[in-house]
Structures are given as structure tokens and as C-alpha cells.
Amino acid sequence: MTTADHKTETMHPVGKSVQRLDVLEKVTGAAQYTDDVPFGNSLLYGRVKRSPVAHGIIKRIDYSKAKALPGVKVIVTGDDFPNLVGLYLKDKLIFARDRVRFVGEAIAAVAATSEEIAEKAIDLIEVDIDPLPAVFDAEFGATKDAPLIHPDLANYECPNFIFPVPGTNIANHFKIRKGNAEEAFKKCTSIVEKKFRIPHVQHVPIEPHIAVAQVEPDGDVTVWAASQSPFSQRSSFAKALGVSESKIRVIAGYVGGGFGCKAGVTMENVAVALASKAGGRPVKVRLTREEEFFTNFVRQGLIINLKIGCDAEGNLLAMENTQYWDGGASTEYGVNITRAGGYNSSGPFDIPNITTNALCVYTNHPIGGAYRGFGMSELHAGIIQCMDILAEKIGMDKVAFLKRNAIQGGDFNVTGMKMHPVGLQECIDTVAKELNFGKKEPTSAPNKKRGKGIGIVWKAPSMPPNAGSSAEVRLNEDGSVTVSVGGQEIGQGTFTVMAQIAAEALGVAYEMVKIEGPVDTRYSPYEWQTVASRLTWSMGNAVRRAAEDARKNILEMVGEAWGENPSNLDIKGGYVVSLKSEESISLKNIVVYGIPRPGDQGWIGGPVLGRGTFMPSYVTNLDKETGQGARAVVHYTTGCQGIDLEIDTETGKIEVIKAVSVFDVGKAINPDLVKAQIEGGFIQGMSSAIFEEMKLVDGVMKNPSFVDYRIATTADLPKENIALFVETAQDDGPWGARGIGEHPMTPTIGVLANAIYDAIGVRVSNPPLSAEKIYLAMLEAGKIS
Amino acid sequence: MGFHQISVRVNGNDEIITVASNLTLLRMLRETLSLTGTKNGCAAGECGACTVLLNGEPVNSCMVLAVEVDGQEVITIEGLAKDGQLDIVQKTIIEKGAVQCGFCTPGMLISARALLNRNPHPTEEQVVEALVGNLCRCTGYSRIIESVQAAAERS
Amino acid sequence: MTSAHPGLPEFDYVKPSDLSEASQFLALHVSDARPFSGGTDTFVRMRDGFFNPKYLVDVKNLEGTRILKFDASEGLTIGSAIPMNQVVAFSEAAAYYPLLVDAAKSVASYQLRSRATIIGNICNASPAGDTIGACLAYDGVLNVHGLDGHKKLPLKDFFTGPGKNLLKPGDIVLSITLPVPPKGHAGQYFKLGRNRLSDLSIVGVSALGYKDPSTKSGFTFRLAIASVAPVPFIPTLAEEILSTEPLNPDTINRAAQAAMDAVTPIDDVRGSAQYRKYMVRNLVKRAVNELQHKLTA
């Protein structure tokens, strides 16, 4: 048994940078991820037959040769699973039936005694497809001329805040009509109008998607999955199989990176489908790295047309914002990203007149899903650059321009919601100061150009209005605490933060708290999903309430035993103490066995359990035509990022010298984990902005490997990556906390683009902001020859 | 397809195993020996999650055949701690808060240990070069680089 | 949809006990056997379905493949089983063949270079093969064992077309010998990838230069450009300009331009042909300036 060196006791851990709970397992190789779970020799291996055609009608599927291959145990096709599934819009099949809609779409699957045999069987399945005209551009896809990808859109089930337009490829049309933008533009002295194209990118968790499914003797189905959403998955599997939720059990161990792609359900359905016909044998399906790139959720491409105007003093007056989201072959999740693009469409700016049309468009590209930021990297890529252009146009200091227009507490924002207090001004000031913004720095060599960029962002958790959390707190004989939650540890450190919250609320040392894992929908309390940067706030509230419930039970027990009012008692350092008598008693034993009454007159108390739940109750829907309503979202996390960089004019290469990111997190429950999220998020943002693009040609991804799809390595880091935060308390967050998981990568495209412009005097607007693109832009502009 | 009997020392234990020709060292470790700390991230020698020490040198175990390690010595993440004591770089990676999802961590630690074995006092750039084949999507790397430097300072 | 296999497809691993057995086996199974050493290229291409051999023949324990020696008269000999890291760590390689070591260090990652070999780079003829240009610039000669015994093949004649070379059925490359380079030469690899390190090259310029009283400029430069043609491209006109005209900024610019004009790269996922051409020019210029600086410093 390997042990860490120090035994410490951290009292009042909220606000302290305690060590993560999960590190010892993770540095010794003991941490169990889904692919590490042993299943023995009965395990079958699943592989998927995929469409080579972007859009077409399936004429024939013949798997007789595959079926005859020794070792092949199960073959399933779309005819076995006719039910439509989907998180928001139910428009997706597990296997294509009559029609294929993207290259890589599952058509059939095989389970065999080895991966090699399954792979051979896949090659033996014959599929004939008649190609149809396809849609590869979202803007075109939204027109009347585009071929229809989902002729049955009118019949699909969806919640009442999603607005499909039947008879078109528009799966959701979200509108904002605030004030009168058309009139307001007439009063503007300066207007910027610009179109941006943000390409598809991938999440690239180092752990590829994996799921194992097995039918139990009683017919229930157990699924082990690398999952951000065990409970949403349970619900989706149940619908796919036409059974009730209680017939499904999802067990989700550590996740080797999620970033949104392991939210909702994708390939996990294939494992369930195969297992449902495998006679009780477990079936494992694991994506190859190549499949990870083009068959699963992607970050949607976006075409955005922005028009923003201000008066001579630099006050923003009007915005027109038209977004074409490339939802892909199915928009079950993407429709809500489009909605987020709409209700966040102003960015963190106070703009009185806004017209927004956010369109989620079916295309014959891979299916869009959640990706860290949920549309905000793409949206802000455009807004941040437009604000930079506008400030320059009116000759105003860029920092002053941002500060003048940044949204503040009390403002009525784009959806008419009254803003809660935000520390955005302080974020901007801190970045400007840390970066010496406005000061031109010397270059390191004659062939280099240096520049700085700045930008601000906001993001609200994007979720149904009633996304709930729950938690249970149990005390053990030794006074230690076990916390059960349904949210997932995906690397962000949520188990650690939950332990801090439980310890603080209960009055015990952080080291006394353990989080029960893996999350298991049979035993763990409900959690909607581990997405939207919502756990610290939402699950944190549930854990706090559960710990307070346990605390109340303990104090009532001791109060009764001592004949004291519980309000005069406190728990400190694992002891119940009386504020009056200064008497104390250890939690050990009493939290399980209770306390004997004096004089051998029986017992008081017993095993201590605490329960807590949290669900926001105040989120209202928005008007379909105006996008206005009382409260569209729970809250916004805001922040500012600045970058100082150099460009090599002989190659176009960017070298980021310094990055500064400052976000208003409400309250940092664990300051070091907050900084780690900001640092890592910035690098992910920088990587996606500079290097990353799914090169889709006629629907085929040309670079589905690490050789051809590059992400940042140790050699691509800025010299300084500074992460800071401010704390403007959230009224309904635990100790004032709100989320920070996604936000750090959302400003980076726009801020980099602004810094590039400052360095070379040429706007390179659309990512990837590659060396090639920058070099050729300088060449075209005559900056070099 | 041919099968071969090999003998190999893994984390100090001698193993005699029958392996298929196409079995990679990665799959042998994970599937035959149940040493699942070594991770499969790409199976193409690009991500570094499967890095192990082969005769003291780091290799992508997805790019080595099991049959090739006959008579050789392999150290995996499970063999890094000795006598219940964490390796110094395991300690410093904890202290620096350089672990998030943890999937790249075993390979990262093996690469770091290999670097410190061949160069006990690397410069920052040498750490960067030694870890460039270990992809991490969570941390942004700088804490990992710092933990290797801290380990070098302390050993 | 063709996609990579999850693992390696089925094959038989064959480990010949000596060279003649190896050559005979490879000649007998000419269409379905492949020799391999480090396997870093072979396994990837097998996963991709590009190679599908019935037999993989492990040649790295055969006589003559594990040599790594420097001889003041014969030069540096590197066996086909010697991983790149060993070459980089070999002090005489670093002392006398800086271009080779620089290029080898630029390949992928340290752990990949624990297995990847220079001979493998040559035999697989990757257009981005970073070390091939250095071996050309150092006038490398391949030592080959075939059915008829040993033979020597100069590297400059080795590549006969895209994916084609001079090897005959049964031939196994045992090693490469790089003759003793000109004394006091300077050599460096100028690689442009998308990432700062570890990527395949968009363009890679192997550059070697030395003072040469027999030329008009007083210098000779050897250049080989990776990733612009199926095998590294030698810009002969650029080399000629650099030896026949006084070495000044104008000459270097014209040589760089000549290299740019001579290459005919393609568009691929790493970069466009247009960008590659400019990068050839700029990197050749950077290379010559850097080497001149080293030679005259």
C-alpha cells in the first residue's frame, strides 16, 4: 500500500487549496477508468459498420457473410432499434435505417469474441447506398434550395423552448428582438459589419469513448461508461430499448477527459444495443482514436454575421447578430447550443437594441454536441474582434471601451433579465494592469512583430430550467464522512470541492471526507449532468444542504442527551461542543451508535444521514418571437483575457509570450483548482484557436489522427500563463460560488486575433490562426514580400 | 497466426506468457497481466499515454510487439513506487496540482522518470523536449513541467 | 468507410537466425513479408490497412544491424537496429555529424525515437523523413545484404520513384555509412512544423556548409528539402549559386529564390503548396545565413 507523506488536518477547508482527493490513485495507475474494469473471458467486443456516404438512401444491408464468420455472436441494425432518441430534440437513431446522413454514421454493429473478428465481420457486411445531394454549408442549408435532411422534422418530439421550422433544415430558430436595432443603427456614428467562420473542432480527451453493457439475469441492463451524464444516459438507454429507467443501471468510473463530448449519449447506445441481444454476455465498444475524431460529437462549425454600432462617445447602441450553426446530421444536443448562442448573443455588453437570429441547421457533417463553452468560444470569437475594430474606429482606448460597455449588476441584459452583481470591471482592470495593456513592447528579433489583444466574455450554464442535483451524507463509526453524489469527476476536481463543502458545512476536517465512487445510478443520488460548469454551484448546494441536514441531526441528538438547545451547540474539528458549558464529545461512534441516556435509560440518536437537493426554481421560458423573459438563466460567469505575443514574419508562427485570464468565480472554494482550470482552459483555447480544425471535404474528415490533427504539446506554451480570479458572491451559490470550468477557453480565439492584428496590422479573423494563414495574410496585405 | 512463448520481467516479476504475433506490449500489459495503469489513447505512437520503460528506455508500448520483449525488462506505472514509497516525481506532481483527469498521468510520469534517470538535472527546455510526446488536454502542461523540475531539485 | 483498425491485424512474427535465412525468407515471400526493425512506421501503416503482410520479419538482431561506430577514415556507421536516441547520444555523432543529430532529435517524441531508426526512415521513404536529407548531405552509403551477399548502395541513387527504391527481393539494409565530413563544417536542420516540436515537417531544410577554397564563393553548401517531393529534394541551382558567387545577402536571396522556384510541393493537411514554396525560400535563406555565421564566427 502506497501512502502519501503527510497527514494533515484541514479545518474550514472552503477557500483553501487542499490537495485533490483522487491524486494518489491517479499517480500510481490504480485509478479505474472504464476500459480498466475486468470482465473475464465472456467479454464480447463490438465494432461498428459506418457509412462511407454523407447523404444517401440505404438500398440494401446484407450481413449474411459476417454472421457466418466463426466468433461472431451478435449483429444488429437499425431495424432492431427503431426508436428516436435525443437529449433535447429526438431526431437520432442508434443505427441509420432508411437514410444515412453523415460519413461515419453507424449502420450496423457486430459483437464477437475478439476485436479482430468483429473488425473482420464489419468488412463482410455489404451495404448499398444511393447518394443524395448533400449539405456541407450551414448558411446554404438554411435556404429553400437546400436538400432536406430530415423531412420528418415536424414529427420530432422536443421541449417547448426549442423552435424547429418544419419543411426546412432549421432545427431551431431562436430570436431576440430587443428595442429597435434598425432605428438605433441610424443613430450610430460608427458601425462594424463582419462575417466570421469558425470551423469544426474536436474535444480530444486522451481517453477515447468507451462503454460496456450487459443484460443481467432479471433482464435489467447494466452499462459501464466513460460518462459525464450517467443519469441522462440511463434515461436515453431506457427510451432506446423501450423500457423504464429503473431497468437500466449506469456505472461511471473516472473519466479520462470529457470537455462535453462524454455528455449526453453517443456511441454508448451501440454497446447497449449489442448487449441486449448477447444473451447476458458483456459487450465492450471502444472507439479508435480515428473514430473519436469523426464519428462522435464534434464542436459545431459556426458562420456568424455581426453588425455592431456605437455613438461618438463609444456607447454601444445596436447589434444585429445572425448565426448559422452547423448542427450536423442530428441536432438533438445542438439545438440547445444554438439557443445559448441566442440568449448570450450580446456577449457581456450592455446593448439596448438587439436583433438576433440563431439558427441550428442540419448538414451532412458529424453531429454537434456540447464542447467546453457550449458555443461561447465561437460566439465570442466574432464579438471580441468586432469590439476591437469598433474601439479602433472611433479612436477610443480599447480598455476604456470595454469598461464603458461591459455589463454590470442591475443592467437589463439581452433577454431582459436583470443582471446580478458581476466583477467584470475588476477583471478588465486586472488584465490591463498585468499585461501593461497599451504599452508597445520590444521584439526579441528584427524579424518579429509584437502585439497585445484583450477581450471579455460571459457564459451562463446552459441547461433545462429544472436541472436538479442531490446528495447524501453518511457518517461512519470513526467519525469520517461519506458523501454520495451523482456528478462526475472528469478531471475538474469536483470530488475534492464537494468534500471541502461537506467538511465545512459539517464541521469536520477535509481529510475526514470521502466521495463515494464510481457513480452508480442504482445507488447514487440523482444529478442531471456534469456539464455547464454547474456542479460547484448546483451539486455544491445539494452537498451543503445534505451536510447541514446531517449536522442538524447530530446537534439534535447531542442536545437531547445533554439537555441543551441545539442552537447552543456547534461541531468543531470533529467534536460537538457546547458553547455554554464548553463540554465536548467526539463524533466517533455516536454518529452510528447514538448516545446512551443517563442512568441506563435507553439510547438517543442512531446512524446519521443527511440529505440535500437543489433545483433552481426561478428560470422562466422566453417569448418565442422576442426572446425576452424575466430570467433566462441562473447566472453568468464573466471574465477577461489578454494576450501578448510575437509573430515571426518569416514563417507566420505565433509565439505567445504572456496570457492573463481573470474570471469572477463568486467564491473560489479551492483557489488552486480554480487556477488549474483557468490555466488548462487557456491552453485548450489556444490550441484550438491556433492548431485545430476538422478538415471536412465533402463530409469526409481528412485529418482524423494525432498526426494530422495537432493539439498543443509541452513545446507550445506561453512563457507565462497567468490565472487570476475575483470574487463577487453569487446570491444562491455555496459561499457565493459559481462555475468556472468552461469559461477560460472561451475568449481565446478573439483575443489572439486581436493581438495578431496589433502585431502585424492585418486582421486574421477565422481560426485556425495558423502560421500559414498569418503568413499568407501578411503577404496579401503587402506587409511582407 | 503464430503464437510465441516469451519470458519477460515486469516490475521485477518474471512472467512466462504465450502471446499472439500481433499482440502489442500495451495489450499484453493491460489484458494478459491486468496492469491497467498503462493507458491506450491512440494505438499509433502519438499520444504517449501507453509509455512504459523497456530496458530503462521509454517506449510507446502500443508500438512494440509483445513477442519482441522476450528476455527483456519492463517497468510500468505500477512499478514506479518502491517499497510503498512514491517516486519523487509522483510526489511532486501531486504537490504541484498537476493532475486533472489523470489519463495521461501514468505515461507522463514514466517519461519524466526516464528523463531524470538519463539526466538528473535537466533544463526547462530539456523537460519540454522529453515530455513532448505525452499529450495532456486538461492541465496546460506547465504544472507538469514544474513538477519534473521540482523532482530534479530534490533528488 | 476505411478507418484504422483498433489493433494490429493478424500476421506471423518471424525472427530469422541469420542473414541468409532472412534474405531467403524475404525473397521467397516477396509479396507477403516485410522486414521491420523499430516498427514505428510499419505498425502505423498496418493499422491503417496500407500494409497487410502475412509475415513480419524482425531483422534487428541480425549480424551487422547493431553496429554504431565512428572511424576516422571510414566515417560513421549506423546499424539498422540502432534507434535514433542512441545516435543522438553517441558523442562522435554529435561531434562530427551535427546535421544528422539535429535532424534525428526533431523526429516525433523521445519515446518514439527509442524505437524509430534512421534506416527505417530511409526505407519507408517518408517525404517528411527528417533524417533522410542529412544522410544525403553526408553522402551516405547503404550496406545491404541480399541473396548474392553484401553490396553497397549510395543513398543518392537509392530512391527511384514515389514509394520505389533499389532494393531487390531478399535485400535487407544492415547499416548506413556516412563518410568523414569536411573538417570544420557546419550543419543544422531547419524544420517548420505546426507545433514547435514533434510534428511532421511542413518544410524541413537539411543544410550543411563548409569553407571550400576550390569554389568561387569560398564555400560549399549542401541542401536537401523535406516535404516538398516524394523524397527529399536537392536544390542544385541554389547550391550552385552559393558556390559560384560571392556570398552576400543578394546571392543568398537569389539562391533561396532558386530553391523556391525549383520545388513543386502539393497541398496536404499540413500546408498548402503556396505556403510551402515561400517557406522553402525563407528557410533556405535562414539556413545559409545561420551556417555562414557559424563558419565565419
Side-chain angles (χ1 to χ4, degrees):
Chain A
M1 169 82 192
T2 314
T3 52
D5 271 353
H6 352 269
K7 277 267 171 278
T8 48
E9 280 220 328
T10 313
M11 301 309 304
H12 298 297
V14 162
K16 291 182 183 158
S17 296
V18 298
Q19 184 177 298
R20 291 178 68 111
L21 276 185
D22 52 354
V23 275
L24 197 60
E25 284 172 90
K26 286 180 174 176
V27 303
T28 54
Q32 199 172 54
Y33 300 80
T34 301
D35 201 19
D36 305 337
V37 179
F39 288 94
N41 290 333
S42 67
L43 183 64
L44 299 176
Y45 298 84
R47 294 289 297 151
V48 178
K49 181 75 178 180
R50 300 186 180 283
S51 173
V53 174
H55 195 196
I57 300 295
I58 299 174
K59 303 304 278 187
R60 183 181 73 103
I61 302 173
D62 181 352
Y63 52 77
S64 52
K65 285 180 193 155
K67 191 112 196 168
L69 191 69
V72 170
K73 300 295 178 190
V74 185
I75 299 181
V76 288
T77 67
D79 287 343
D80 301 312
F81 300 96
N83 293 351
L84 285 163
V85 294
L87 192 70
Y88 292 96
L89 176 68
K90 298 204 177 354
D91 68 350
K92 194 165 83 171
L93 290 162
I94 304 177
F95 302 103
R97 295 189 73 197
D98 307 324
R99 182 191 286 248
V100 291
R101 294 182 172 91
F102 75 99
V103 173
E105 183 171 8
I107 295 175
V110 174
T113 51
S114 77
E115 215 166 32
E116 286 97 331
I117 293 171
E119 186 74 11
K120 272 187 193 163
I122 286 302
D123 288 342
L124 292 174
I125 298 176
E126 294 167 14
V127 181
D128 291 341
I129 299 169
D130 278 356
L132 290 170
V135 176
F136 300 123
D137 180 282
E139 200 170 1
F140 166 68
T143 65
K144 293 208 160 40
D145 299 333
L148 275 191
I149 297 172
H150 283 266
D152 292 334
L153 178 57
N155 304 325
Y156 295 161
E157 196 187 313
C158 73
N160 63 358
F161 52 84
I162 303 295
F163 311 117
V165 186
T168 74
N169 286 320
I170 299 166
N172 188 16
H173 184 171
F174 182 93
K175 297 176 194 168
I176 295 280
R177 301 290 182 270
K178 183 192 182 192
N180 187 334
E182 203 183 329
E183 281 302 311
F185 275 118
K186 293 177 187 161
K187 295 179 196 139
C188 294
T189 50
S190 287
I191 294 173
V192 58
E193 230 179 319
K194 205 163 162 58
K195 180 175 198 159
F196 299 87
R197 283 176 181 274
I198 315 298
H200 291 76
V201 297
Q202 259 304 358
H203 310 68
V204 196
I206 308 301
E207 174 198 42
H209 278 73
I210 179 161
V212 184
Q214 183 173 24
V215 177
E216 306 291 347
D218 61 2
D220 288 6
V221 179
T222 303
V223 183
W224 294 258
S227 171
Q228 294 177 237
S229 316
F231 288 90
S232 294
Q233 290 193 337
R234 178 176 71 171
S235 176
S236 175
F237 298 146
K239 288 201 173 61
L241 296 178
V243 300
S244 78
E245 275 86 355
S246 64
K247 301 293 287 176
I248 309 281
R249 175 183 181 191
V250 178
I251 303 173
Y254 283 124
V255 177
F259 315 111
C261 68
K262 291 168 184 163
V265 180
T266 52
M267 52 71 73
E268 298 83 6
N269 268 324
V270 174
V272 174
L274 286 167
S276 71
K277 300 188 185 299
R281 292 181 75 167
V283 181
K284 179 185 277 194
V285 180
R286 186 185 193 286
L287 294 189
T288 63
R289 176 55 61 184
E290 292 77 6
E291 289 174 309
E292 184 74 27
F293 273 113
F294 71 91
T295 71
N296 236 59
F297 275 157
V298 301
R299 188 173 88 185
Q300 306 174 122
L302 172 66
I303 298 167
I304 177 168
N305 295 312
L306 286 171
K307 182 177 173 188
I308 307 173
C310 66
D311 65 18
E313 283 75 50
N315 299 302
L316 290 170
L317 299 182
M319 169 187 260
E320 223 176 78
N321 186 327
T322 309
Q323 305 164 17
Y324 298 94
W325 295 89
D326 188 330
S330 152
T331 61
E332 52 126 341
Y333 211 142
V335 287
N336 200 40
I337 301 172
T338 299
R339 185 171 187 270
Y343 67 65
N344 288 302
S345 55
S346 61
F349 294 95
D350 180 23
I351 309 176
N353 302 286
I354 303 176
T355 298
T356 296
N357 289 291
L359 304 167
C360 185
V361 184
Y362 284 122
T363 66
N364 297 108
H365 279 149
I367 297 169
Y371 181 5
R372 195 175 196 173
F374 212 67
M376 294 304 100
S377 297
E378 305 92 295
L379 171 73
H380 287 105
I383 293 176
I384 286 173
Q385 294 187 62
C386 284
M387 295 302 172
D388 203 63
I389 295 168
L390 207 49
E392 187 176 24
K393 231 175 165 174
I394 62 165
M396 191 166 170
D397 174 75
K398 289 174 180 176
V399 171
F401 183 81
L402 293 180
K403 291 192 68 177
R404 166 164 294 209
N405 291 293
I407 195 112
Q408 311 217 36
D411 289 345
F412 287 90
N413 73 16
V414 51
T415 58
M417 166 180 163
K418 190 177 178 186
M419 276 302 284
H420 52 79
V422 288
L424 189 50
Q425 298 286 334
E426 194 183 340
C427 294
I428 299 169
D429 284 336
T430 310
V431 169
K433 182 165 166 274
E434 286 285 327
L435 211 57
N436 242 326
F437 202 84
K439 180 171 180 280
K440 197 82 185 168
E441 311 283 348
T443 59
S444 67
N447 61 319
K448 304 275 178 77
K449 297 274 186 197
R450 191 158 174 180
K452 294 175 185 173
I454 191 167
I456 58 177
V457 290
W458 71 350
K459 183 190 179 297
S462 300
M463 55 189 199
N466 58 338
S469 293
S470 53
E472 288 167 0
V473 166
R474 303 196 294 277
L475 280 96
N476 305 306
E477 292 92 329
D478 58 0
S480 68
V481 181
T482 306
V483 179
S484 297
V485 290
Q488 272 291 67
E489 178 53 70
I490 62 173
Q492 81 284 46
T494 198
F495 282 6
T496 304
V497 167
M498 293 306 129
Q500 288 178 260
I501 288 174
E504 181 82 36
L506 204 49
V508 302
Y510 162 71
E511 289 77 9
M512 294 298 279
V513 183
K514 285 204 160 51
I515 306 294
E516 193 175 61
V519 170
D520 180 334
T521 58
R522 180 172 286 178
Y523 306 115
S524 305
Y526 177 85
E527 184 66 50
W528 177 59
Q529 294 196 96
T530 299
V531 298
S533 310
R534 60 182 280 279
L535 287 193
T536 299
W537 164 78
S538 182
M539 189 163 84
N541 275 330
V543 169
R544 182 180 187 172
R545 288 175 182 180
E548 284 170 352
D549 186 36
R551 175 189 164 86
K552 180 170 149 274
N553 293 339
I554 293 167
L555 296 185
E556 279 172 2
M557 165 175 69
V558 175
E560 190 182 341
W562 291 354
E564 284 204 53
N565 189 327
S567 63
N568 290 330
L569 302 175
D570 195 5
I571 303 178
K572 287 181 175 171
Y575 285 80
V576 179
V577 293
S578 164
L579 303 176
K580 268 165 69 181
S581 68
E582 292 183 11
E583 198 175 343
S584 74
I585 182 169
S586 169
L587 291 179
K588 279 181 194 165
N589 298 322
I590 66 164
V591 291
V592 172
Y593 305 122
I595 301 174
R597 290 183 197 276
D600 199 17
Q601 294 298 304
W603 290 75
I604 302 166
V608 174
L609 282 178
R611 294 190 197 88
T613 65
F614 178 78
M615 189 180 88
S617 55
Y618 44 70
V619 176
T620 59
N621 267 353
L622 300 172
D623 182 82
K624 186 184 175 186
E625 293 308 320
T626 64
Q628 301 298 295
R631 188 160 177 185
V633 299
V634 292
H635 58 252
Y636 285 88
T637 298
T638 58
C640 181
Q641 198 166 74
I643 288 172
D644 176 8
L645 56 67
E646 263 188 345
I647 309 264
D648 182 336
T649 57
E650 291 170 4
T651 60
K653 284 214 113 175
I654 296 176
E655 292 159 43
V656 178
I657 293 167
K658 185 172 181 176
V660 183
S661 311
V662 186
F663 287 87
D664 181 0
V665 300
K667 166 74 183 177
I669 304 289
N670 185 320
D672 198 53
L673 285 181
V674 167
K675 289 185 176 186
Q677 282 303 295
I678 297 177
E679 288 168 21
F682 173 75
I683 298 300
Q684 189 170 11
M686 186 196 78
S687 177
S688 71
I690 296 178
F691 299 119
E692 299 178 34
E693 175 183 24
M694 292 176 64
K695 290 185 186 280
L696 291 161
V697 179
D698 296 337
V700 178
M701 185 182 179
K702 295 295 182 185
N703 56 336
S705 73
F706 280 136
V707 177
D708 293 325
Y709 186 105
R710 303 295 296 177
I711 66 169
T713 72
T714 51
D716 304 304
L717 310 180
K719 289 189 186 75
E720 287 183 274
N721 179 6
I722 294 174
L724 299 166
F725 55 83
V726 302
E727 296 178 313
T728 310
Q730 182 62 37
D731 60 358
D732 68 348
W735 290 273
R738 64 174 87 81
I740 185 60
E742 299 163 279
H743 310 78
M745 80 177 280
T746 60
T748 312
I749 298 168
V751 175
L752 267 170
N754 288 350
I756 291 166
Y757 172 75
D758 189 47
I760 62 174
V762 185
R763 285 247 165 230
V764 183
S765 306
N766 297 324
L769 306 169
S770 63
E772 166 162 353
K773 215 179 263 177
I774 293 169
Y775 186 86
L776 296 178
M778 287 189 292
L779 197 68
E780 200 188 339
K783 301 277 177 185
I784 53 171
S785 58
Chain B
M1 186 170 60
F3 288 83
H4 312 265
Q5 195 182 68
I6 64 166
S7 72
V8 55
R9 173 168 287 199
V10 181
N11 298 334
N13 302 314
D14 291 317
E15 310 278 358
I16 294 175
I17 322 169
T18 301
V19 298
S21 285
N22 71 344
L23 189 75
T24 60
L25 174 58
L26 171 62
R27 287 185 61 188
M28 182 193 95
L29 292 168
R30 290 182 53 83
E31 295 168 25
T32 315
L33 299 178
S34 300
L35 292 168
T36 54
T38 303
K39 302 303 182 198
N40 179 358
C42 73
E46 290 289 331
C47 77
C50 70
T51 305
V52 301
L53 295 180
L54 176 59
N55 302 325
E57 280 292 291
V59 297
N60 295 298
S61 61
C62 69
M63 289 280 104
V64 177
L65 300 178
V67 61
E68 291 182 271
V69 303
D70 186 21
Q72 305 193 39
E73 175 161 17
V74 177
I75 303 282
T76 71
I77 186 67
E78 290 90 347
L80 209 56
K82 296 248 163 44
D83 308 321
Q85 277 296 307
L86 292 181
D87 188 286
I88 182 75
V89 70
Q90 285 174 310
K91 289 182 190 168
T92 53
I93 207 168
I94 290 176
E95 288 166 14
K96 294 285 178 188
V99 176
Q100 288 191 28
C101 87
F103 203 79
C104 75
T105 307
M108 200 67 87
L109 285 166
I110 292 287
S111 283
R113 173 39 55 209
L115 168 68
L116 295 173
N117 286 349
R118 66 180 182 267
N119 180 359
H121 298 288
T123 62
E124 185 182 336
E125 180 62 11
Q126 285 169 331
V127 177
V128 165
E129 285 175 12
L131 301 182
V132 78
N134 292 85
L135 298 180
C136 168
R137 193 60 154 174
C138 299
T139 66
Y141 300 106
S142 51
R143 289 163 182 256
I144 296 172
I145 294 167
E146 284 166 25
S147 44
V148 180
Q149 291 176 297
E153 277 165 28
R154 246 190 269 170
S155 48
Chain C
M1 179 72 208
T2 312
S3 182
H5 295 281
L8 291 174
E10 290 181 0
F11 60 86
D12 266 335
Y13 171 85
V14 177
K15 193 173 175 181
S17 52
D18 60 38
L19 280 173
S20 68
E21 185 189 326
S23 287
Q24 277 165 24
F25 188 91
L26 286 167
L28 188 65
H29 299 279
V30 66
S31 59
D32 53 10
R34 278 195 76 85
F36 85 102
S37 188
T40 50
D41 259 328
T42 305
F43 299 155
V44 169
R45 294 190 196 193
M46 284 170 70
R47 269 193 77 234
D48 290 347
F50 193 74
F51 293 163
N52 199 8
K54 199 169 164 199
Y55 304 102
L56 264 193
V57 182
D58 189 346
V59 296
K60 65 181 158 291
N61 293 299
L62 297 173
E63 191 188 341
T65 61
R66 294 197 166 266
I67 187 169
L68 178 61
K69 68 161 190 184
F70 177 74
D71 180 300
S73 58
E74 281 179 21
L76 178 68
T77 300
I78 303 165
S80 64
I82 301 298
M84 289 183 184
N85 283 339
Q86 271 188 45
V87 178
V88 172
F90 188 54
S91 60
E92 280 130 321
Y96 301 112
Y97 301 85
L99 167 59
L100 178 71
V101 168
D102 203 28
K105 271 163 76 173
S106 82
V107 175
S109 62
Y110 186 91
Q111 55 266 56
L112 203 87
R113 298 193 300 271
S114 294
R115 303 285 293 172
T117 65
I118 287 169
I119 300 289
N121 227 206
I122 292 170
C123 290
N124 287 308
S126 160
D130 293 300
T131 60
I132 305 174
C135 293
L136 282 167
Y138 284 119
D139 295 320
V141 176
L142 298 171
N143 306 301
V144 179
H145 182 272
L147 290 175
D148 307 327
H150 290 269
K151 60 187 166 190
K152 289 188 186 299
L153 299 175
L155 187 60
K156 68 177 167 54
D157 307 324
F158 182 70
F159 303 109
T160 52
K164 292 199 169 75
N165 60 40
L166 280 179
L167 293 181
K168 293 194 167 59
D171 279 356
I172 299 162
V173 181
L174 303 179
S175 61
I176 185 167
T177 298
L178 309 178
V180 181
K183 214 170 172 169
H185 84 286
Q188 199 173 330
Y189 186 49
F190 296 83
K191 175 170 171 173
L192 179 71
R194 289 158 297 185
N195 302 77
R196 183 165 70 82
L197 300 174
S198 81
D199 193 10
L200 296 175
S201 58
I202 298 169
V203 167
V205 175
S206 295
L208 180 160
Y210 53 93
K211 286 186 178 165
D212 186 348
S214 74
T215 65
K216 277 191 194 156
S217 71
F219 293 93
T220 289
F221 288 93
R222 308 283 307 274
L223 302 167
I225 305 170
S227 293
V228 294
V231 294
F233 175 82
I234 314 277
T236 45
L237 180 57
E239 290 181 344
E240 195 184 309
I241 292 170
L242 292 168
S243 62
T244 55
E245 296 178 34
L247 206 57
N248 57 36
D250 179 55
T251 305
I252 295 171
N253 281 342
R254 279 190 299 113
Q257 188 65 45
M260 175 175 168
D261 293 342
V263 295
T264 52
I266 56 162
D267 294 328
D268 68 16
V269 294
R270 300 202 296 283
S272 69
Q274 185 195 13
Y275 181 58
R276 283 197 157 105
K277 281 177 80 81
Y278 281 106
M279 289 307 102
V280 166
R281 183 191 70 182
N282 295 359
L283 291 187
V284 165
K285 189 173 149 185
R286 189 176 280 189
V288 176
N289 278 327
E290 191 66 33
L291 293 195
Q292 187 194 13
H293 178 74
K294 280 184 182 170
L295 292 169
T296 54

